[in-house]
Structures are given as C-alpha cells and as structure tokens.
Amino acid sequence: MESVAEATSGAIGALVSTTILYPLDTCKTKYQAEVRGPNPKYRNLSDVFFEAISKGQILSLYQGLGTKNLQSFISQFIYFYGYSFFKRLYLAKTGFKSVGTKANLIVAAAAGACTVVITQPLDTASSRMQTCAFGKSKGLWKTLAEGTWKEAFDGLGISLLLTANPSIQYTVFDQLKLRALKGQQSPNQGIEQSQQALSAFSAFVLGAVSKCVATCLTYPAIRCKVVIQSAESNEEEKNEAKVKSKKTFFSALITIWKTEGLLGFFKGLDAQILKTVLSSALLLMIKEKITKTTWVLLLAIRRTLFLTRTKLKSL
C-alpha cells in the first residue's frame, strides 16, 4: 500500500511538472541534438524559441507532449514503486531502521533499470518528436513505425548508465530530507518516516539541489543520448552514413569530440540544469504535498472494498 501511494504521488508530480516545463524541454532538446558544424543553426537556446515564433509554430513547442507525459507518468510510477518496494524489502531483510548511502544507490539504480527497460521506446519516440522540424511532428505510432523495434531502443545502454542520475538525485534528496526532518520527529513512534512530509519550500529547495548535483555529474552521457535518439537535427544533411554514425554511444562521443571538442560534451548544460532542476523540484514538491492525501485515499478505498467484500460474503 505504501509503495502504491509513493508511486501514484510521484507519477502525478511528474505529469504536472512535465506539462508546465515542456516548451523549455523542447527548446533544450533541439539545442542539444544539433552537433555544431561550421555554420550552426542554433547558437544558443533562445534561437530555438525564436525560430518557432518566426515560423508561426509556437504551438509546436508542445509537439510530443502526449508521448512525453505518458512516458513521464509510467516511468515515474514504476520508478517510485520500485524504489519504495526495494527500500522496504531491504529494510525488512536487514532489520535496519534506515537505508545507508551505498544501499540507497543500489536500490535507486535497480528501480531505475526496471523503469528504463520498460519505457525506452516512449523515451526514444518523444526525443524524435521534439527534435523534428517544427510543425512536422508525427504521432507516437507513426514515429515508432518509421524504424525497427531495435531502433526504438536506441540509447538503451546510455539510459541504463544514466540510472546513476536519479540514484544520485534521490540519495542526496533522502539524506538532506533526513537531516531536515531530524528535529521534527513526531512523538508518536508508530508514525513511519515515509509519512512525514517536508514543507513545499523545503521540498523545492532540496529537490533543486539534489538534481543539480546529479545533472552535473552525468551530463556528457545525457548529451550523447540526445544526439543518438534525435531526428535529423539539420534538415539539409541527408547523408545516410552520417545519420547512422549517431546511433552508438562511441560514435556520438567521437562526433561531438571532433566537431565541438571537450566543451561540446557540456553544450546546453545550463539549459539542462534549468529544466531538470525546476522539473525535479516541482515533482518532489508536489509528491511531498500529496503523498499523505494519496495514502488516506488508498486506505479509504481498501476499507471500502473490504467492507463490500464482507457484505457480499455474508449474503
């Protein structure tokens, strides 16, 4: 029951934060996907936004929103459910009262790996829809049908590697949360830690800090993943060999290194931090504020179902 409450509140938080910040996410993704040549199309993040305005395609900043929301909802539900489940399983098996940093990293990585394998096709499709030309985005099924199922899992290896990102994020967040709640322990010893909530402001700040740390440490892999999953970032470049050269992690590394140098691996880092920090902070803030409500609703539903079942048996 607790795992379901955690998963539901996390998924709702992801849905809301993704929708609010989606135009920024689209600009960020198109900017990251372009490997700069002699004449780059986008010199900075704002160029993407102004391109949409100049072409009268401002609504195209929301292209792929449905797929992204579906992917965010499913992935966050699976992640929070797995994270909560594995954490409770670890505590039950070891008898410890809290999860240490190393164990937390392992638990978060396991939850992240399960999430990635299930949702990778949606992640690939949303990236392609965001990086195609404004106004030319196709639906989810048409986007996936353009390639093989193997291509739908483009970037899976990097995505598995990037499970370290939420692992770092939630480990940092949980440790900061423990410290923040240390002086706010309830005198009722029966209340579990997971049912205690941070204030909205505290959750926002801790979420921002934890995500910033995780993003900085894993950004080069994030950039390579976007390059691999993107549609053709430059419509004038139709060379099939060049497109195929983007499809592996090492080819993406070599392409970025030869074209942009070492700093190329950090192109768009500021935009990534702005988007992911705001998104993660909003997600965790919303999750913290609705977890108790979700818990109460689930208990009420279970109680109602139990009473109904009891009445049916008595008939």
Side-chain angles (χ1 to χ4, degrees), residues 25-35 68 120 123-124 126-132 154-156 158-159 162 218-233 243 246-249 252 256 264-265 267-268 272 276:
D25 187 39
T26 298
C27 292
K28 171 196 71 68
T29 303
K30 287 181 74 69
Y31 180 61
Q32 289 173 324
E34 183 190 37
V35 179
K68 194 71 171 183
Q120 185 65 26
D123 186 34
T124 301
S126 65
S127 292
R128 290 177 183 171
M129 293 164 80
Q130 284 183 305
T131 54
C132 70
D154 278 345
L156 177 60
I158 300 180
S159 294
L162 286 173
T218 60
Y219 187 74
I222 293 173
R223 174 87 203 281
C224 289
K225 178 188 171 186
V226 173
V227 170
I228 290 171
Q229 291 183 325
S230 67
E232 294 182 29
S233 58
V243 173
K246 295 181 179 180
K247 297 302 179 182
T248 67
F249 176 57
I256 294 173
F265 293 108
K267 174 191 173 185
Q272 182 75 27
T276 55

Coordinates of all heavy atoms in Angstrom, one line a residue, residues 25-35 68 120 123-124 126-132 154-156 158-159 162 218-233 243 246-249 252 256 264-265 267-268 272 276:
D25 N 11.7 22.3 -22.4 CA 12.3 21.0 -22.6 C 12.5 20.8 -24.1 O 13.5 20.2 -24.6 CB 11.4 19.9 -22.1 CG 12.0 18.5 -22.2 OD1 13.2 18.4 -22.0 OD2 11.3 17.5 -22.5
T26 N 11.5 21.2 -24.9 CA 11.6 21.1 -26.4 C 12.8 21.9 -26.9 O 13.6 21.5 -27.7 CB 10.3 21.5 -27.1 OG1 9.2 20.7 -26.7 CG2 10.4 21.5 -28.6
C27 N 12.9 23.2 -26.5 CA 14.0 24.0 -26.9 C 15.3 23.4 -26.5 O 16.3 23.4 -27.3 CB 13.8 25.4 -26.3 SG 12.5 26.4 -26.9
K28 N 15.4 22.9 -25.3 CA 16.6 22.3 -24.8 C 17.0 21.1 -25.6 O 18.2 20.9 -26.0 CB 16.4 21.9 -23.3 CG 17.5 21.0 -22.7 CD 17.1 20.4 -21.4 CE 16.1 19.3 -21.7 NZ 16.7 18.1 -22.4
T29 N 16.1 20.2 -25.9 CA 16.4 19.0 -26.6 C 16.8 19.3 -28.0 O 17.8 18.7 -28.5 CB 15.1 18.1 -26.6 OG1 14.7 17.8 -25.3 CG2 15.5 16.8 -27.3
K30 N 16.2 20.2 -28.7 CA 16.6 20.6 -30.1 C 18.0 21.2 -30.1 O 18.8 21.0 -31.0 CB 15.6 21.5 -30.7 CG 14.3 20.8 -31.1 CD 13.3 21.8 -31.8 CE 13.7 22.2 -33.2 NZ 13.6 21.0 -34.2
Y31 N 18.3 22.0 -29.1 CA 19.6 22.7 -29.0 C 20.7 21.6 -28.7 O 21.7 21.7 -29.3 CB 19.5 23.7 -27.9 CG 20.8 24.4 -27.6 CD1 21.4 25.2 -28.6 CD2 21.5 24.4 -26.4 CE1 22.6 25.9 -28.4 CE2 22.6 25.1 -26.2 CZ 23.2 25.8 -27.2 OH 24.4 26.5 -27.0
Q32 N 20.4 20.7 -27.8 CA 21.4 19.6 -27.5 C 21.6 18.7 -28.7 O 22.7 18.2 -28.9 CB 20.9 18.8 -26.3 CG 20.9 19.5 -25.0 CD 20.3 18.7 -23.9 OE1 19.3 18.0 -24.2 NE2 20.8 18.7 -22.7
A33 N 20.6 18.4 -29.5 CA 20.7 17.5 -30.6 C 21.5 17.9 -31.7 O 22.1 17.1 -32.4 CB 19.3 17.1 -31.1
E34 N 21.7 19.2 -31.9 CA 22.5 19.7 -33.0 C 24.0 19.6 -32.7 O 24.5 20.2 -31.7 CB 22.1 21.2 -33.3 CG 22.9 21.7 -34.5 CD 22.7 23.2 -34.7 OE1 22.7 23.9 -33.7 OE2 22.6 23.7 -35.8
V35 N 24.7 18.9 -33.5 CA 26.1 18.8 -33.4 C 26.7 19.9 -34.2 O 26.5 19.9 -35.5 CB 26.7 17.4 -33.9 CG1 28.2 17.4 -33.8 CG2 26.1 16.3 -33.0
K68 N 5.4 12.4 -24.2 CA 6.3 12.7 -23.0 C 5.5 12.5 -21.7 O 6.1 12.0 -20.7 CB 6.8 14.1 -23.2 CG 7.9 14.5 -22.2 CD 9.2 13.8 -22.7 CE 10.4 14.3 -21.9 NZ 11.7 13.7 -22.4
Q120 N 11.8 2.7 -22.5 CA 12.7 3.2 -23.5 C 12.1 3.6 -24.9 O 12.4 4.6 -25.4 CB 13.9 2.2 -23.7 CG 15.0 2.7 -24.6 CD 15.7 3.9 -24.1 OE1 15.8 4.1 -22.9 NE2 16.3 4.7 -24.9
D123 N 10.6 6.9 -24.6 CA 11.6 8.0 -24.5 C 12.2 8.3 -25.8 O 12.4 9.5 -26.2 CB 12.7 7.4 -23.5 CG 13.8 8.5 -23.2 OD1 13.4 9.7 -23.1 OD2 14.9 8.1 -23.0
T124 N 12.5 7.3 -26.6 CA 13.1 7.5 -28.0 C 12.1 8.2 -28.9 O 12.5 9.2 -29.6 CB 13.4 6.1 -28.6 OG1 14.4 5.4 -27.8 CG2 14.0 6.3 -30.0
S126 N 9.6 10.3 -28.0 CA 9.4 11.6 -27.6 C 10.6 12.5 -28.0 O 10.4 13.7 -28.4 CB 9.2 11.7 -26.0 OG 10.4 11.3 -25.4
S127 N 11.8 12.0 -28.0 CA 13.0 12.7 -28.4 C 12.9 13.0 -29.9 O 13.3 14.1 -30.4 CB 14.3 11.9 -28.1 OG 14.5 11.9 -26.7
R128 N 12.5 12.0 -30.7 CA 12.4 12.2 -32.1 C 11.3 13.2 -32.5 O 11.5 14.0 -33.4 CB 12.0 10.9 -32.8 CG 13.2 9.9 -32.8 CD 12.7 8.5 -33.4 NE 13.8 7.5 -33.4 CZ 13.6 6.3 -33.7 NH1 12.4 5.8 -34.1 NH2 14.6 5.4 -33.6
M129 N 10.2 13.2 -31.7 CA 9.1 14.1 -32.0 C 9.5 15.6 -31.6 O 9.2 16.5 -32.3 CB 7.9 13.7 -31.2 CG 7.3 12.4 -31.7 SD 6.2 11.6 -30.5 CE 4.7 12.6 -30.8
Q130 N 10.3 15.7 -30.6 CA 10.8 17.0 -30.2 C 11.8 17.6 -31.1 O 11.9 18.8 -31.3 CB 11.4 17.0 -28.7 CG 10.3 16.9 -27.6 CD 11.0 16.9 -26.3 OE1 11.8 16.1 -26.0 NE2 10.5 17.8 -25.4
T131 N 12.7 16.8 -31.7 CA 13.8 17.3 -32.5 C 13.5 17.3 -34.0 O 14.3 17.8 -34.7 CB 15.0 16.4 -32.3 OG1 14.7 15.0 -32.5 CG2 15.5 16.5 -30.8
C132 N 12.3 16.9 -34.4 CA 12.0 17.0 -35.8 C 11.6 18.5 -36.1 O 11.4 19.3 -35.2 CB 10.9 16.1 -36.2 SG 9.3 16.5 -35.5
D154 N 17.0 2.7 -29.2 CA 18.3 3.5 -29.4 C 18.6 4.2 -28.0 O 17.7 4.8 -27.4 CB 18.1 4.5 -30.5 CG 18.3 3.9 -31.8 OD1 18.9 2.8 -31.9 OD2 18.0 4.6 -32.8
G155 N 19.8 4.1 -27.6 CA 20.2 4.8 -26.4 C 19.9 4.0 -25.1 O 20.1 4.6 -24.0
L156 N 19.5 2.7 -25.3 CA 19.2 2.0 -24.1 C 20.4 1.8 -23.1 O 20.3 1.9 -21.9 CB 18.6 0.6 -24.5 CG 18.3 -0.4 -23.3 CD1 17.2 0.2 -22.4 CD2 17.9 -1.7 -23.8
I158 N 23.0 3.8 -22.8 CA 23.2 5.1 -22.1 C 22.1 5.3 -21.0 O 22.4 5.8 -19.9 CB 23.3 6.3 -23.0 CG1 24.4 6.0 -24.1 CG2 23.5 7.6 -22.3 CD1 24.5 7.1 -25.1
S159 N 20.9 5.0 -21.4 CA 19.8 5.2 -20.4 C 20.0 4.3 -19.1 O 19.8 4.8 -18.0 CB 18.5 4.8 -21.0 OG 18.1 5.6 -22.1
L162 N 22.6 6.0 -17.2 CA 22.1 7.2 -16.6 C 21.1 6.9 -15.4 O 20.6 7.9 -14.8 CB 21.3 8.1 -17.6 CG 22.2 8.8 -18.6 CD1 21.4 9.5 -19.7 CD2 23.1 9.9 -17.9
T218 N 26.5 13.7 -14.6 CA 26.1 12.8 -15.7 C 25.8 13.5 -17.0 O 25.4 12.8 -18.0 CB 24.8 12.0 -15.3 OG1 23.7 12.9 -15.0 CG2 25.1 11.2 -14.0
Y219 N 26.1 14.8 -17.1 CA 25.7 15.5 -18.3 C 26.3 15.0 -19.7 O 25.6 14.9 -20.7 CB 25.9 17.0 -18.2 CG 25.3 17.7 -19.4 CD1 23.9 17.9 -19.5 CD2 26.1 18.2 -20.4 CE1 23.4 18.5 -20.6 CE2 25.6 18.8 -21.5 CZ 24.2 19.0 -21.6 OH 23.6 19.6 -22.7
P220 N 27.6 14.7 -19.7 CA 28.1 14.2 -21.0 C 27.4 13.0 -21.6 O 27.1 12.9 -22.8 CB 29.6 13.8 -20.7 CG 29.9 14.7 -19.5 CD 28.7 14.8 -18.7
A221 N 26.9 12.1 -20.7 CA 26.2 10.9 -21.2 C 24.8 11.4 -21.7 O 24.2 10.9 -22.6 CB 26.0 9.9 -20.1
I222 N 24.2 12.4 -21.0 CA 22.9 12.9 -21.4 C 23.0 13.5 -22.8 O 22.1 13.3 -23.6 CB 22.4 14.0 -20.4 CG1 22.1 13.3 -19.0 CG2 21.2 14.7 -20.9 CD1 21.8 14.3 -17.9
R223 N 24.0 14.3 -23.1 CA 24.2 14.9 -24.4 C 24.3 13.8 -25.5 O 23.7 13.9 -26.5 CB 25.4 15.8 -24.4 CG 25.8 16.4 -25.7 CD 25.1 17.7 -26.0 NE 24.9 17.9 -27.5 CZ 25.9 18.4 -28.2 NH1 27.1 18.7 -27.7 NH2 25.7 18.7 -29.5
C224 N 25.1 12.8 -25.2 CA 25.3 11.7 -26.2 C 24.0 11.0 -26.5 O 23.6 10.7 -27.6 CB 26.3 10.7 -25.7 SG 28.0 11.4 -25.7
K225 N 23.2 10.8 -25.4 CA 21.9 10.1 -25.6 C 20.9 10.9 -26.5 O 20.3 10.4 -27.3 CB 21.3 9.9 -24.2 CG 19.9 9.2 -24.3 CD 19.2 9.2 -22.9 CE 17.8 8.7 -23.0 NZ 17.1 8.9 -21.7
V226 N 20.9 12.3 -26.3 CA 20.0 13.1 -27.1 C 20.4 13.0 -28.6 O 19.6 13.0 -29.5 CB 20.0 14.5 -26.6 CG1 19.2 15.5 -27.6 CG2 19.4 14.6 -25.2
V227 N 21.7 13.1 -28.8 CA 22.3 13.0 -30.2 C 21.9 11.7 -30.9 O 21.5 11.6 -32.0 CB 23.8 13.2 -30.2 CG1 24.4 12.9 -31.6 CG2 24.2 14.6 -29.8
I228 N 22.0 10.6 -30.1 CA 21.6 9.3 -30.6 C 20.2 9.2 -31.0 O 19.8 8.6 -32.0 CB 22.0 8.2 -29.6 CG1 23.6 8.1 -29.5 CG2 21.5 6.8 -30.0 CD1 24.0 7.2 -28.4
Q229 N 19.3 9.7 -30.1 CA 17.9 9.5 -30.2 C 17.2 10.5 -31.1 O 16.0 10.3 -31.6 CB 17.2 9.6 -28.9 CG 17.5 8.4 -27.9 CD 16.7 8.5 -26.6 OE1 16.5 9.6 -26.1 NE2 16.3 7.4 -26.1
S230 N 17.9 11.6 -31.5 CA 17.2 12.6 -32.2 C 16.9 12.3 -33.6 O 17.5 11.4 -34.2 CB 18.1 13.9 -32.2 OG 19.3 13.7 -32.9
A231 N 15.9 13.0 -34.2 CA 15.6 13.0 -35.6 C 16.8 13.8 -36.2 O 17.6 14.4 -35.5 CB 14.3 13.7 -35.9
E232 N 16.8 13.9 -37.5 CA 17.9 14.7 -38.1 C 17.8 16.2 -37.7 O 16.8 16.8 -37.9 CB 17.8 14.7 -39.7 CG 18.0 13.3 -40.2 CD 18.0 13.3 -41.8 OE1 18.3 14.4 -42.4 OE2 17.6 12.3 -42.3
S233 N 18.8 16.6 -36.9 CA 18.8 18.0 -36.3 C 19.0 19.0 -37.4 O 18.7 20.2 -37.2 CB 19.8 18.1 -35.3 OG 21.1 17.8 -35.8
V243 N 23.9 10.0 -40.6 CA 22.8 9.7 -39.6 C 23.1 8.4 -38.9 O 22.9 8.4 -37.7 CB 21.5 9.6 -40.4 CG1 20.4 9.2 -39.5 CG2 21.2 10.9 -41.1
K246 N 25.4 8.3 -35.7 CA 25.0 8.8 -34.5 C 24.4 7.7 -33.5 O 24.1 8.0 -32.4 CB 23.9 9.9 -34.7 CG 24.4 11.1 -35.4 CD 23.2 12.1 -35.5 CE 23.6 13.4 -36.2 NZ 22.4 14.3 -36.3
K247 N 24.2 6.5 -34.1 CA 23.4 5.5 -33.4 C 24.1 4.7 -32.3 O 23.5 3.8 -31.7 CB 22.8 4.5 -34.4 CG 21.9 5.2 -35.4 CD 20.7 5.9 -34.7 CE 19.8 6.6 -35.7 NZ 18.7 7.3 -35.1
T248 N 25.4 4.9 -32.1 CA 26.0 4.3 -31.0 C 26.7 5.3 -30.0 O 27.0 6.4 -30.4 CB 27.1 3.3 -31.5 OG1 28.2 4.1 -32.1 CG2 26.6 2.3 -32.5
F249 N 26.9 4.9 -28.8 CA 27.4 5.8 -27.8 C 28.8 6.3 -28.2 O 29.1 7.5 -28.2 CB 27.5 5.1 -26.5 CG 28.2 5.8 -25.4 CD1 27.7 7.1 -25.0 CD2 29.2 5.4 -24.7 CE1 28.3 7.8 -24.0 CE2 29.8 6.1 -23.7 CZ 29.3 7.3 -23.3
A252 N 28.8 8.7 -31.1 CA 28.3 10.0 -30.7 C 29.5 10.8 -30.0 O 29.7 12.0 -30.2 CB 27.1 9.9 -29.8
I256 N 31.0 14.3 -31.5 CA 31.0 15.5 -30.6 C 32.4 16.0 -30.4 O 32.7 17.2 -30.5 CB 30.3 15.3 -29.3 CG1 28.8 15.0 -29.5 CG2 30.4 16.5 -28.4 CD1 28.0 14.6 -28.3
G264 N 32.1 20.6 -26.0 CA 30.9 20.1 -26.7 C 30.1 19.1 -25.8 O 28.9 19.1 -26.0
F265 N 30.8 18.4 -25.0 CA 30.1 17.5 -24.1 C 29.2 18.2 -23.1 O 28.4 17.5 -22.4 CB 31.1 16.5 -23.4 CG 31.8 15.6 -24.4 CD1 33.1 15.8 -24.7 CD2 31.1 14.5 -25.0 CE1 33.7 14.9 -25.6 CE2 31.7 13.7 -25.9 CZ 33.1 13.9 -26.2
K267 N 27.7 21.2 -23.9 CA 26.8 22.1 -24.6 C 25.4 22.0 -24.1 O 24.8 20.9 -24.1 CB 26.8 21.8 -26.1 CG 25.8 22.7 -26.9 CD 25.7 22.2 -28.3 CE 24.6 22.9 -29.1 NZ 24.3 22.4 -30.4
G268 N 24.8 23.1 -23.7 CA 23.4 23.0 -23.2 C 23.3 22.6 -21.7 O 22.2 22.4 -21.2
Q272 N 20.0 22.4 -19.4 CA 19.6 21.1 -18.8 C 19.4 21.3 -17.3 O 18.4 20.7 -16.7 CB 20.7 20.1 -19.1 CG 20.4 18.7 -18.5 CD 19.4 17.9 -19.3 OE1 19.3 18.2 -20.5 NE2 18.7 17.0 -18.7
T276 N 15.8 20.6 -15.7 CA 15.7 19.4 -14.8 C 15.6 19.8 -13.4 O 14.9 19.1 -12.6 CB 16.9 18.4 -15.0 OG1 18.1 19.2 -14.8 CG2 16.9 17.8 -16.4

